[in-house]
Structure formats: C-alpha cells, structure tokens
C-alpha cells in the first residue's frame, strides 16, 4: 500500500537585521540552528536590512569615537561586550570586540547581501559578513573586503566589485529600513514568518520553534 506523505509546510521568513549588530549575529545563529532541526518544514529566507546607525558616514568612524557616541564611554561598552561575548561562546560565536578598530556603515554590506540573493548566496554571505566583523575585526564597509567575502561565498569577485562601485540598491536598503520602522520594528533581530507572526530579539531556539509551529499550523489551514 502506497501512502503519500502529507506535503511539508512552506514558510517565508523575513530576517530583519543589521550586520553590525552582535545580537543579530546571535539571533541568526539560533534561528539557523532551529531550522536545521526541523526537516518537516520548508523555508524561504529573505534578508531585510535595518540600520542601527542610519546617520553613520559611509566611510564609517573610529571605534573609539563610536563607543563614546553610542555608549558614553569605554567602561560601559566593555561591560556590555563582555556579557555578549559570554553568551556568544555558548552558541559557538567568537566575539572579538578588541579587534574592531573601525565601526563601518552597513549600507554597502546590506547592498551586497541583496546582490548575493540574486545568485542564492545571501545566507552564506551574511554568515561571512558577521564573522568578518565580529570575529576578525574587519571593516565590512571596505569595498575590497566586501569583494573578497563575495568571492569566498562563490560570487564573481570582479562583478561584485563593479556592483559595489555603483550606487545600485542604496535606495532599496534605505526603503527597507523605513519599511521596518513603519511596521513597528524598532529593534533587531526581528523574524517575520509568513507575514503574520513576528518575534524580536536573539530568542532561544525553543521560543523560535514554538513560533514556527504556530506558523506551520496556519499554513496547513490555508492549504
């Protein structure tokens, strides 16, 4: 007797994030870990930019200046970063804030993620960008580094460089950032599932999984 298995639910997940946000790095890691343990579900991921520092110069700024502007001083930043690093170790994320000497604008990195999505390489590129910034201390606003990361993720480095040298997708990045605020998203990461369910923050996998279950039930009812 041939029994057909029920079709898998397919969920769309919008990942609203900023590539200079350590909580986004943690949250995305937890989301991906959760998705890997749900082979019963299918997922379509869309990466949506959010600009934590919308007034950051495109050339970025020194880390010292940024820490003073953002946190009021080095001591407060050090305490916060120490806490994040400890949480990161449990997730296999090695935060090396001491290696970051320049805080970049994330606009060009977000542009490159949009470009990579055309070729199905956005997921790999996002991971590479997070690691380059938070583990290696790289300036992900530097077009040379961005081109190298694109190539390491299977993209044509020359074509990616040409894209970065243009202003393509700049307006789209800012439009998505504005859209997020209009939807009431004021902090990241934020995961929006099937356009109906949302969860903000670097939540534990168990919390994410419960939301996936709710979204899957809704998807099954619609089918």
């Amino acid at each position: 007797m041939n029994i057909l298995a029920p079709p898998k639910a397919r969920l769309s997940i919008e990942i609203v994030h900023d590539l200079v946000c350590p909580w986004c790095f943690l949250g995305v890691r937890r989301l991906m870990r959760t998705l890997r343990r749900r082979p019963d579900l299918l997922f379509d991921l869309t990466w949506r930019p959010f600009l934590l520092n919308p007034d950051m110069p495109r050339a970025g700024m020194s880390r010292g200046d940024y820490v003073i502007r953002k946190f009021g001083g080095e001591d407060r930043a050090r305490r916060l970063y120490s806490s994040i690093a400890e949480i990161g170790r449990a997730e296999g994320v090695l935060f090396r804030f001491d290696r970051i000497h320049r805080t970049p604008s994330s606009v060009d990195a977000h542009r490159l993620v949009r470009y990579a999505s055309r070729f199905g390489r956005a997921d790999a590129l996002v991971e590479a960008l997070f690691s380059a910034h938070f583990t290696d201390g790289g300036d992900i606003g530097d077009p040379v580094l961005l081109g190298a990361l694109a190539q390491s993720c299977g993209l044509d480095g020359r074509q990616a460089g040409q894209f970065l040298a243009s202003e393509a997708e700049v307006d789209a990045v800012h439009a998505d950032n504005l859209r997020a605020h209009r939807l009431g998203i004021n902090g990241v990461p934020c995961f929006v599932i099937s356009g109906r369910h949302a969860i903000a923050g670097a939540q534990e996998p168990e919390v994410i999984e419960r939301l996936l279950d709710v979204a899957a039930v809704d998807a099954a009812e619609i089918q």
Side-chain angles (χ1 to χ4, degrees), residues 149-207:
L149 292 173
Q151 189 163 349
S152 74
C153 293
L155 297 170
D156 185 293
R158 182 182 60 84
Q159 292 180 2
Q162 290 175 345
F163 169 82
L164 289 167
S166 73
E167 288 294 296
E169 303 284 3
V170 170
D171 289 344
V173 168
H174 287 288
D176 266 351
N177 179 60
L178 181 60
R179 171 181 175 269
H181 285 284
R182 285 176 172 169
L183 289 174
I185 299 172
N186 296 310
V188 286
C190 183
F191 308 130
V192 183
I193 304 175
S194 299
R196 302 177 62 188
H197 310 278
I199 189 169
Q203 299 288 346
E204 294 290 343
E206 293 75 17
V207 177

Short mmCIF file of all heavy atoms in Angstrom, two decimals, residues 149-207:
data_model
loop_
_atom_site.label_atom_id
_atom_site.label_comp_id
_atom_site.label_asym_id
_atom_site.label_seq_id
_atom_site.Cartn_x
_atom_site.Cartn_y
_atom_site.Cartn_z
N LEU A 149 34.97 38.84 0.37
CA LEU A 149 33.97 38.00 1.02
C LEU A 149 32.97 37.46 0.00
O LEU A 149 32.56 36.29 0.08
CB LEU A 149 33.24 38.78 2.11
CG LEU A 149 34.07 39.16 3.33
CD1 LEU A 149 33.28 40.07 4.26
CD2 LEU A 149 34.53 37.92 4.09
N ALA A 150 32.59 38.30 -0.96
CA ALA A 150 31.68 37.85 -2.01
C ALA A 150 32.29 36.68 -2.78
O ALA A 150 31.64 35.66 -3.03
CB ALA A 150 31.36 39.00 -2.95
N GLN A 151 33.57 36.80 -3.11
CA GLN A 151 34.24 35.74 -3.86
C GLN A 151 34.35 34.47 -3.02
O GLN A 151 34.19 33.36 -3.54
CB GLN A 151 35.62 36.21 -4.31
CG GLN A 151 36.31 35.26 -5.27
CD GLN A 151 37.47 35.91 -6.00
OE1 GLN A 151 37.65 37.13 -5.94
NE2 GLN A 151 38.24 35.12 -6.71
N SER A 152 34.60 34.62 -1.74
CA SER A 152 34.71 33.44 -0.87
C SER A 152 33.40 32.69 -0.74
O SER A 152 33.38 31.51 -0.38
CB SER A 152 35.20 33.86 0.53
OG SER A 152 34.17 34.52 1.27
N CYS A 153 32.30 33.39 -1.04
CA CYS A 153 30.98 32.77 -0.97
C CYS A 153 30.48 32.29 -2.33
O CYS A 153 29.29 31.97 -2.49
CB CYS A 153 29.97 33.74 -0.36
SG CYS A 153 30.29 34.10 1.38
N GLY A 154 31.38 32.26 -3.31
CA GLY A 154 31.02 31.70 -4.61
C GLY A 154 30.55 32.70 -5.64
O GLY A 154 30.12 32.29 -6.73
N LEU A 155 30.64 33.98 -5.33
CA LEU A 155 30.25 35.01 -6.30
C LEU A 155 31.46 35.42 -7.13
O LEU A 155 32.62 35.23 -6.72
CB LEU A 155 29.67 36.23 -5.58
CG LEU A 155 28.38 35.98 -4.81
CD1 LEU A 155 28.04 37.19 -3.94
CD2 LEU A 155 27.23 35.67 -5.75
N ASP A 156 31.21 35.99 -8.28
CA ASP A 156 32.28 36.52 -9.12
C ASP A 156 32.79 37.81 -8.46
O ASP A 156 32.05 38.79 -8.35
CB ASP A 156 31.75 36.81 -10.53
CG ASP A 156 32.83 37.26 -11.48
OD1 ASP A 156 33.37 38.37 -11.28
OD2 ASP A 156 33.15 36.52 -12.43
N GLY A 157 34.05 37.80 -8.04
CA GLY A 157 34.61 38.94 -7.32
C GLY A 157 34.64 40.20 -8.13
O GLY A 157 34.36 41.29 -7.62
N ARG A 158 34.95 40.08 -9.43
CA ARG A 158 35.03 41.27 -10.29
C ARG A 158 33.64 41.89 -10.46
O ARG A 158 33.48 43.11 -10.34
CB ARG A 158 35.61 40.89 -11.64
CG ARG A 158 35.79 42.08 -12.61
CD ARG A 158 36.32 41.63 -13.96
NE ARG A 158 35.40 40.69 -14.59
CZ ARG A 158 34.34 41.08 -15.31
NH1 ARG A 158 34.05 42.36 -15.45
NH2 ARG A 158 33.54 40.18 -15.86
N GLN A 159 32.65 41.05 -10.71
CA GLN A 159 31.30 41.58 -10.89
C GLN A 159 30.75 42.16 -9.59
O GLN A 159 30.07 43.20 -9.61
CB GLN A 159 30.38 40.48 -11.41
CG GLN A 159 30.70 40.03 -12.83
CD GLN A 159 29.78 38.93 -13.32
OE1 GLN A 159 28.85 38.52 -12.61
NE2 GLN A 159 30.02 38.44 -14.52
N ALA A 160 31.07 41.53 -8.48
CA ALA A 160 30.64 42.08 -7.19
C ALA A 160 31.29 43.43 -6.94
O ALA A 160 30.65 44.36 -6.42
CB ALA A 160 30.98 41.10 -6.06
N GLY A 161 32.56 43.56 -7.32
CA GLY A 161 33.25 44.83 -7.17
C GLY A 161 32.62 45.92 -8.02
O GLY A 161 32.50 47.08 -7.57
N GLN A 162 32.23 45.57 -9.22
CA GLN A 162 31.57 46.54 -10.09
C GLN A 162 30.24 46.97 -9.50
O GLN A 162 29.86 48.16 -9.56
CB GLN A 162 31.37 45.94 -11.48
CG GLN A 162 32.65 45.75 -12.26
CD GLN A 162 32.43 45.03 -13.58
OE1 GLN A 162 31.38 44.42 -13.81
NE2 GLN A 162 33.42 45.11 -14.47
N PHE A 163 29.52 46.02 -8.93
CA PHE A 163 28.25 46.35 -8.28
C PHE A 163 28.48 47.32 -7.12
O PHE A 163 27.79 48.32 -6.98
CB PHE A 163 27.57 45.07 -7.79
CG PHE A 163 26.40 45.32 -6.88
CD1 PHE A 163 25.16 45.62 -7.40
CD2 PHE A 163 26.56 45.27 -5.50
CE1 PHE A 163 24.08 45.87 -6.56
CE2 PHE A 163 25.49 45.51 -4.65
CZ PHE A 163 24.24 45.81 -5.19
N LEU A 164 29.47 47.02 -6.30
CA LEU A 164 29.74 47.87 -5.13
C LEU A 164 30.19 49.26 -5.53
O LEU A 164 29.95 50.24 -4.81
CB LEU A 164 30.81 47.21 -4.26
CG LEU A 164 30.36 45.96 -3.49
CD1 LEU A 164 31.56 45.21 -2.93
CD2 LEU A 164 29.39 46.34 -2.38
N ALA A 165 30.87 49.38 -6.69
CA ALA A 165 31.34 50.68 -7.14
C ALA A 165 30.20 51.56 -7.63
O ALA A 165 30.37 52.78 -7.79
CB ALA A 165 32.38 50.50 -8.26
N SER A 166 29.05 50.96 -7.87
CA SER A 166 27.87 51.73 -8.29
C SER A 166 27.08 52.15 -7.05
O SER A 166 27.50 51.89 -5.92
CB SER A 166 26.99 50.87 -9.20
OG SER A 166 26.32 49.87 -8.43
N GLU A 167 25.96 52.77 -7.28
CA GLU A 167 25.06 53.11 -6.17
C GLU A 167 23.81 52.24 -6.20
O GLU A 167 22.80 52.58 -5.58
CB GLU A 167 24.67 54.60 -6.25
CG GLU A 167 25.80 55.56 -5.89
CD GLU A 167 26.20 55.45 -4.43
OE1 GLU A 167 25.36 55.75 -3.56
OE2 GLU A 167 27.35 55.05 -4.15
N ALA A 168 23.90 51.13 -6.92
CA ALA A 168 22.76 50.23 -7.05
C ALA A 168 22.31 49.72 -5.68
O ALA A 168 23.14 49.39 -4.83
CB ALA A 168 23.11 49.05 -7.95
N GLU A 169 21.02 49.69 -5.48
CA GLU A 169 20.38 49.16 -4.27
C GLU A 169 20.51 50.04 -3.04
O GLU A 169 20.01 49.68 -1.97
CB GLU A 169 20.89 47.74 -3.95
CG GLU A 169 20.71 46.73 -5.07
CD GLU A 169 19.27 46.24 -5.22
OE1 GLU A 169 18.39 46.73 -4.49
OE2 GLU A 169 19.03 45.37 -6.07
N VAL A 170 21.17 51.18 -3.15
CA VAL A 170 21.26 52.07 -1.98
C VAL A 170 19.87 52.51 -1.55
O VAL A 170 19.50 52.45 -0.37
CB VAL A 170 22.15 53.30 -2.29
CG1 VAL A 170 22.03 54.32 -1.16
CG2 VAL A 170 23.60 52.89 -2.45
N ASP A 171 19.07 52.96 -2.52
CA ASP A 171 17.72 53.42 -2.19
C ASP A 171 16.88 52.27 -1.64
O ASP A 171 16.05 52.48 -0.74
CB ASP A 171 17.04 54.02 -3.43
CG ASP A 171 17.63 55.35 -3.83
OD1 ASP A 171 18.34 55.96 -3.01
OD2 ASP A 171 17.40 55.78 -4.98
N ALA A 172 17.10 51.07 -2.15
CA ALA A 172 16.33 49.91 -1.69
C ALA A 172 16.66 49.59 -0.24
O ALA A 172 15.77 49.22 0.55
CB ALA A 172 16.61 48.70 -2.58
N VAL A 173 17.93 49.71 0.14
CA VAL A 173 18.31 49.47 1.53
C VAL A 173 17.62 50.46 2.46
O VAL A 173 17.06 50.09 3.50
CB VAL A 173 19.84 49.55 1.69
CG1 VAL A 173 20.23 49.59 3.17
CG2 VAL A 173 20.51 48.36 1.01
N HIS A 174 17.65 51.74 2.08
CA HIS A 174 17.01 52.75 2.92
C HIS A 174 15.48 52.57 2.94
O HIS A 174 14.84 52.81 3.97
CB HIS A 174 17.38 54.15 2.44
CG HIS A 174 18.79 54.53 2.76
ND1 HIS A 174 19.20 54.84 4.04
CD2 HIS A 174 19.90 54.65 1.98
CE1 HIS A 174 20.49 55.13 4.04
NE2 HIS A 174 20.94 55.02 2.81
N ALA A 175 14.91 52.13 1.82
CA ALA A 175 13.46 51.90 1.77
C ALA A 175 13.07 50.75 2.69
O ALA A 175 12.05 50.81 3.39
CB ALA A 175 13.03 51.62 0.33
N ASP A 176 13.87 49.68 2.71
CA ASP A 176 13.57 48.56 3.59
C ASP A 176 13.72 48.96 5.06
O ASP A 176 12.95 48.50 5.93
CB ASP A 176 14.51 47.39 3.29
CG ASP A 176 13.90 46.39 2.31
OD1 ASP A 176 12.69 46.52 2.01
OD2 ASP A 176 14.60 45.48 1.86
N ASN A 177 14.70 49.79 5.35
CA ASN A 177 14.87 50.28 6.72
C ASN A 177 13.65 51.10 7.15
O ASN A 177 13.12 50.92 8.26
CB ASN A 177 16.14 51.14 6.80
CG ASN A 177 16.36 51.71 8.19
OD1 ASN A 177 16.50 50.99 9.16
ND2 ASN A 177 16.37 53.04 8.28
N LEU A 178 13.18 51.95 6.26
CA LEU A 178 11.99 52.75 6.55
C LEU A 178 10.76 51.85 6.71
O LEU A 178 9.93 52.07 7.61
CB LEU A 178 11.76 53.77 5.43
CG LEU A 178 10.57 54.72 5.59
CD1 LEU A 178 10.69 55.55 6.86
CD2 LEU A 178 10.46 55.64 4.37
N ARG A 179 10.65 50.86 5.86
CA ARG A 179 9.52 49.91 5.94
C ARG A 179 9.50 49.22 7.29
O ARG A 179 8.43 49.06 7.89
CB ARG A 179 9.64 48.88 4.82
CG ARG A 179 8.65 47.72 4.90
CD ARG A 179 8.87 46.76 3.74
NE ARG A 179 8.02 45.58 3.84
CZ ARG A 179 8.36 44.45 4.45
NH1 ARG A 179 9.55 44.35 5.04
NH2 ARG A 179 7.53 43.43 4.47
N ALA A 180 10.66 48.80 7.77
CA ALA A 180 10.73 48.13 9.07
C ALA A 180 10.19 49.03 10.17
O ALA A 180 9.40 48.59 11.02
CB ALA A 180 12.16 47.71 9.36
N HIS A 181 10.60 50.29 10.16
CA HIS A 181 10.12 51.22 11.19
C HIS A 181 8.61 51.43 11.07
O HIS A 181 7.91 51.53 12.09
CB HIS A 181 10.86 52.54 11.08
CG HIS A 181 12.27 52.48 11.62
ND1 HIS A 181 12.55 52.47 12.97
CD2 HIS A 181 13.47 52.42 10.99
CE1 HIS A 181 13.85 52.41 13.15
NE2 HIS A 181 14.43 52.37 11.96
N ARG A 182 8.11 51.50 9.85
CA ARG A 182 6.68 51.69 9.67
C ARG A 182 5.88 50.48 10.15
O ARG A 182 4.72 50.61 10.54
CB ARG A 182 6.38 51.96 8.19
CG ARG A 182 6.77 53.37 7.75
CD ARG A 182 6.57 53.58 6.27
NE ARG A 182 6.78 54.98 5.90
CZ ARG A 182 6.87 55.41 4.65
NH1 ARG A 182 6.80 54.55 3.64
NH2 ARG A 182 7.06 56.70 4.40
N LEU A 183 6.51 49.31 10.13
CA LEU A 183 5.86 48.11 10.64
C LEU A 183 5.96 48.00 12.15
O LEU A 183 5.45 47.05 12.74
CB LEU A 183 6.49 46.86 9.99
CG LEU A 183 6.19 46.64 8.51
CD1 LEU A 183 7.00 45.47 7.97
CD2 LEU A 183 4.69 46.39 8.29
N GLY A 184 6.63 48.98 12.76
CA GLY A 184 6.77 48.98 14.21
C GLY A 184 7.98 48.23 14.72
O GLY A 184 8.10 47.97 15.92
N ILE A 185 8.90 47.88 13.82
CA ILE A 185 10.14 47.20 14.22
C ILE A 185 11.15 48.26 14.63
O ILE A 185 11.62 49.03 13.79
CB ILE A 185 10.69 46.33 13.08
CG1 ILE A 185 9.66 45.26 12.71
CG2 ILE A 185 12.02 45.70 13.47
CD1 ILE A 185 10.03 44.47 11.46
N ASN A 186 11.49 48.30 15.89
CA ASN A 186 12.42 49.30 16.40
C ASN A 186 13.71 48.69 16.93
O ASN A 186 14.60 49.41 17.40
CB ASN A 186 11.76 50.13 17.51
CG ASN A 186 10.57 50.92 16.98
OD1 ASN A 186 10.68 51.62 15.97
ND2 ASN A 186 9.43 50.80 17.63
N GLY A 187 13.79 47.38 16.90
CA GLY A 187 14.99 46.69 17.35
C GLY A 187 15.18 45.40 16.58
O GLY A 187 14.20 44.84 16.05
N VAL A 188 16.39 44.95 16.50
CA VAL A 188 16.71 43.75 15.73
C VAL A 188 17.61 42.83 16.54
O VAL A 188 18.29 43.29 17.47
CB VAL A 188 17.39 44.12 14.39
CG1 VAL A 188 16.38 44.69 13.42
CG2 VAL A 188 18.55 45.11 14.58
N PRO A 189 17.58 41.52 16.19
CA PRO A 189 16.91 40.94 15.04
C PRO A 189 15.41 40.84 15.24
O PRO A 189 14.91 40.82 16.37
CB PRO A 189 17.53 39.54 14.94
CG PRO A 189 17.82 39.19 16.37
CD PRO A 189 18.30 40.48 16.98
N CYS A 190 14.70 40.76 14.14
CA CYS A 190 13.27 40.50 14.16
C CYS A 190 12.97 39.52 13.03
O CYS A 190 13.39 39.73 11.90
CB CYS A 190 12.48 41.79 13.98
SG CYS A 190 10.68 41.56 14.09
N PHE A 191 12.27 38.45 13.36
CA PHE A 191 11.93 37.44 12.37
C PHE A 191 10.42 37.51 12.11
O PHE A 191 9.62 37.36 13.05
CB PHE A 191 12.32 36.05 12.86
CG PHE A 191 13.75 35.95 13.32
CD1 PHE A 191 14.06 35.39 14.56
CD2 PHE A 191 14.79 36.43 12.54
CE1 PHE A 191 15.37 35.31 14.99
CE2 PHE A 191 16.11 36.35 12.96
CZ PHE A 191 16.40 35.80 14.19
N VAL A 192 10.06 37.72 10.86
CA VAL A 192 8.65 37.81 10.48
C VAL A 192 8.32 36.58 9.64
O VAL A 192 8.90 36.38 8.56
CB VAL A 192 8.36 39.09 9.68
CG1 VAL A 192 6.87 39.19 9.35
CG2 VAL A 192 8.83 40.33 10.45
N ILE A 193 7.41 35.76 10.13
CA ILE A 193 7.12 34.48 9.49
C ILE A 193 5.77 34.55 8.79
O ILE A 193 4.75 34.88 9.40
CB ILE A 193 7.12 33.34 10.52
CG1 ILE A 193 8.48 33.31 11.25
CG2 ILE A 193 6.85 32.00 9.84
CD1 ILE A 193 8.56 32.29 12.36
N SER A 194 5.81 34.27 7.49
CA SER A 194 4.61 34.24 6.65
C SER A 194 3.83 35.55 6.71
O SER A 194 2.61 35.56 6.49
CB SER A 194 3.70 33.06 7.04
OG SER A 194 4.40 31.84 6.84
N GLY A 195 4.52 36.63 7.02
CA GLY A 195 3.90 37.95 7.03
C GLY A 195 2.90 38.16 8.14
O GLY A 195 2.27 39.21 8.22
N ARG A 196 2.77 37.18 9.06
CA ARG A 196 1.72 37.26 10.08
C ARG A 196 2.25 37.13 11.50
O ARG A 196 1.61 37.60 12.45
CB ARG A 196 0.69 36.16 9.85
CG ARG A 196 0.02 36.19 8.48
CD ARG A 196 -0.94 35.03 8.31
NE ARG A 196 -2.03 35.08 9.28
CZ ARG A 196 -2.92 34.10 9.44
NH1 ARG A 196 -2.82 33.00 8.71
NH2 ARG A 196 -3.88 34.22 10.32
N HIS A 197 3.37 36.47 11.67
CA HIS A 197 3.90 36.20 13.00
C HIS A 197 5.29 36.80 13.11
O HIS A 197 6.10 36.65 12.19
CB HIS A 197 3.96 34.69 13.26
CG HIS A 197 2.69 33.96 12.96
ND1 HIS A 197 1.64 33.90 13.85
CD2 HIS A 197 2.30 33.28 11.85
CE1 HIS A 197 0.65 33.21 13.31
NE2 HIS A 197 1.02 32.82 12.10
N ALA A 198 5.57 37.46 14.21
CA ALA A 198 6.88 38.10 14.37
C ALA A 198 7.42 37.86 15.77
O ALA A 198 6.66 37.73 16.74
CB ALA A 198 6.78 39.60 14.09
N ILE A 199 8.73 37.78 15.82
CA ILE A 199 9.40 37.65 17.11
C ILE A 199 10.68 38.48 17.06
O ILE A 199 11.41 38.45 16.06
CB ILE A 199 9.70 36.17 17.43
CG1 ILE A 199 10.20 36.01 18.87
CG2 ILE A 199 10.68 35.57 16.43
CD1 ILE A 199 10.26 34.57 19.32
N ALA A 200 10.93 39.26 18.10
CA ALA A 200 12.09 40.15 18.12
C ALA A 200 13.09 39.68 19.15
O ALA A 200 12.74 39.06 20.16
CB ALA A 200 11.65 41.58 18.43
N GLY A 201 14.35 39.97 18.89
CA GLY A 201 15.41 39.66 19.83
C GLY A 201 16.09 38.34 19.52
O GLY A 201 15.62 37.55 18.70
N ALA A 202 17.25 38.13 20.16
CA ALA A 202 18.02 36.89 19.98
C ALA A 202 17.41 35.81 20.87
O ALA A 202 17.98 35.40 21.88
CB ALA A 202 19.49 37.12 20.31
N GLN A 203 16.25 35.34 20.47
CA GLN A 203 15.49 34.40 21.30
C GLN A 203 16.13 33.01 21.31
O GLN A 203 16.83 32.62 20.39
CB GLN A 203 14.05 34.29 20.77
CG GLN A 203 13.29 35.59 20.78
CD GLN A 203 12.89 36.04 22.17
OE1 GLN A 203 12.96 35.27 23.13
NE2 GLN A 203 12.47 37.29 22.30
N GLU A 204 15.84 32.27 22.37
CA GLU A 204 16.30 30.89 22.47
C GLU A 204 15.63 30.04 21.38
O GLU A 204 14.49 30.33 20.98
CB GLU A 204 15.97 30.31 23.84
CG GLU A 204 16.71 30.95 25.00
CD GLU A 204 18.20 30.63 24.99
OE1 GLU A 204 18.60 29.66 24.31
OE2 GLU A 204 18.94 31.34 25.69
N PRO A 205 16.31 29.00 20.89
CA PRO A 205 15.73 28.16 19.84
C PRO A 205 14.35 27.61 20.18
O PRO A 205 13.49 27.48 19.29
CB PRO A 205 16.76 27.03 19.69
CG PRO A 205 18.06 27.66 20.09
CD PRO A 205 17.70 28.61 21.20
N GLU A 206 14.12 27.29 21.45
CA GLU A 206 12.82 26.75 21.84
C GLU A 206 11.69 27.76 21.59
O GLU A 206 10.58 27.38 21.21
CB GLU A 206 12.84 26.33 23.31
CG GLU A 206 13.76 25.17 23.63
CD GLU A 206 15.23 25.56 23.63
OE1 GLU A 206 15.53 26.78 23.71
OE2 GLU A 206 16.08 24.64 23.55
N VAL A 207 11.99 29.03 21.82
CA VAL A 207 10.99 30.07 21.59
C VAL A 207 10.73 30.22 20.10
O VAL A 207 9.58 30.33 19.65
CB VAL A 207 11.46 31.41 22.19
CG1 VAL A 207 10.46 32.52 21.89
CG2 VAL A 207 11.68 31.27 23.69
#
